[in-house]
Amino acid sequence: MDFYDELAPLYHLIFPDWRASIARQGGQLHSIVQVQWPGARRLLDLSCGIGTQAIGLAARGLSVRAPDLSPVAVERARQEANAQGVSLALSVGDMRHAHALHGSGFDVVLSCDNSVPHLLMDEDILLALREMHRCLRSGGGVLLSVRDYAKEERGRNLVKHYGVREEGGRRYVLFQVWDFEGDHYDFSFFVVEEDPRAKTAVTRVMRSRYYAIGTDRLLELMAEAGFGNVRRIDDAYYQPVLVGTK
């Protein structure tokens, strides 16, 4: 099973308060979008996951098309959007085929939460960026949020803690373990689910791989894909934001 298919039912546990994160991220991204591309209304979120960014943006009145590679995540996003009274145009799709799947004329194309580095080669990232460029109207923009890998330790057995959550009478402990190999790393995402009353626990382990690409290299690839005025924005979102304009 795909990593995000497995993670989708548990993804909200990454955040101490997922609903609050939806509102906060939606507000932050909306502000960035309106500063960079005033009046933008039509958005294409190419890695919507369970809807963390797309729901928050749609709740602010924007028209959001929201595909993702994981059908399980898309179905969860559909359920969450319905529960929150938000309209999203959801579908399953690969960002490397974005134009064929979604057409053109969008004001902004975005991919947040370090999704682009799941593409493991510069060639695939460049292909995805060129597809994003094709999906935009003239003057529209791209917005990516990614980890700042220049600040990350490299090595093996690197533990990244997400904390402890309580839900439905259960306690969940979440952490990742990273193992680097050059500019790539494999990671295992552990979710320990404890039933305190029964004094039992179950551990789930989900695995995937990332390309620890730096933001400078991503900006170079954005320029190569045809974007102008490419730059990094700090302190406006929980990750560095990279933007460019068609």
Side-chain angles (χ1 to χ4, degrees), residues 105-109 132-138 140-141 227 246:
F106 291 94
D107 297 319
V108 178
V109 176
M132 295 177 192
H133 191 272
R134 294 180 70 193
C135 288
L136 288 165
R137 63 166 174 81
S138 178
F227 290 102
K246 180 174 180 177

Side-chain angles (χ1 to χ4, degrees), residues 95-121:
M95 66 175 66
R96 291 169 293 184
H97 306 293
H99 184 259
L101 293 170
H102 311 296
S104 57
F106 291 94
D107 297 319
V108 178
V109 176
L110 65 150
S111 178
C112 294
D113 203 16
N114 207 49
S115 295
V116 168
H118 272 301
L119 300 174
L120 301 179
M121 298 184 296

Side-chain angles (χ1 to χ4, degrees), residues 55-176:
I55 291 172
L57 288 164
R60 291 180 171 268
L62 300 179
S63 172
V64 183
R65 181 179 292 273
D68 193 272
L69 197 58
S70 165
V72 180
V74 167
E75 181 54 34
R76 171 114 195 248
R78 191 184 317 279
Q79 295 169 8
E80 297 291 348
N82 289 340
Q84 298 184 47
V86 168
S87 176
L88 292 178
L90 289 152
S91 61
V92 177
D94 187 326
M95 66 175 66
R96 291 169 293 184
H97 306 293
H99 184 259
L101 293 170
H102 311 296
S104 57
F106 291 94
D107 297 319
V108 178
V109 176
L110 65 150
S111 178
C112 294
D113 203 16
N114 207 49
S115 295
V116 168
H118 272 301
L119 300 174
L120 301 179
M121 298 184 296
D122 285 2
E123 293 80 3
D124 275 335
I125 293 175
L126 182 58
L127 173 59
L129 290 169
R130 284 174 170 158
E131 287 293 292
M132 295 177 192
H133 191 272
R134 294 180 70 193
C135 288
L136 288 165
R137 63 166 174 81
S138 178
V142 65
L143 185 159
L144 311 177
S145 86
V146 292
R147 282 185 182 270
D148 188 350
Y149 283 111
K151 296 181 178 179
E152 295 288 352
E153 179 185 0
R154 302 203 176 197
R156 292 184 55 80
N157 300 318
L158 304 174
V159 180
K160 308 291 182 177
H161 294 281
Y162 282 79
V164 180
R165 313 282 185 252
E166 291 185 315
E167 181 179 275
R170 303 294 178 98
R171 182 160 53 197
Y172 298 85
V173 182
L174 298 90
F175 61 96
Q176 292 183 2

Side-chain angles (χ1 to χ4, degrees), residues 35-47:
V35 168
Q36 301 299 320
W37 307 284
R41 296 280 303 165
R42 292 189 66 216
L43 273 62
L44 174 61
D45 179 356
L46 284 173
S47 50

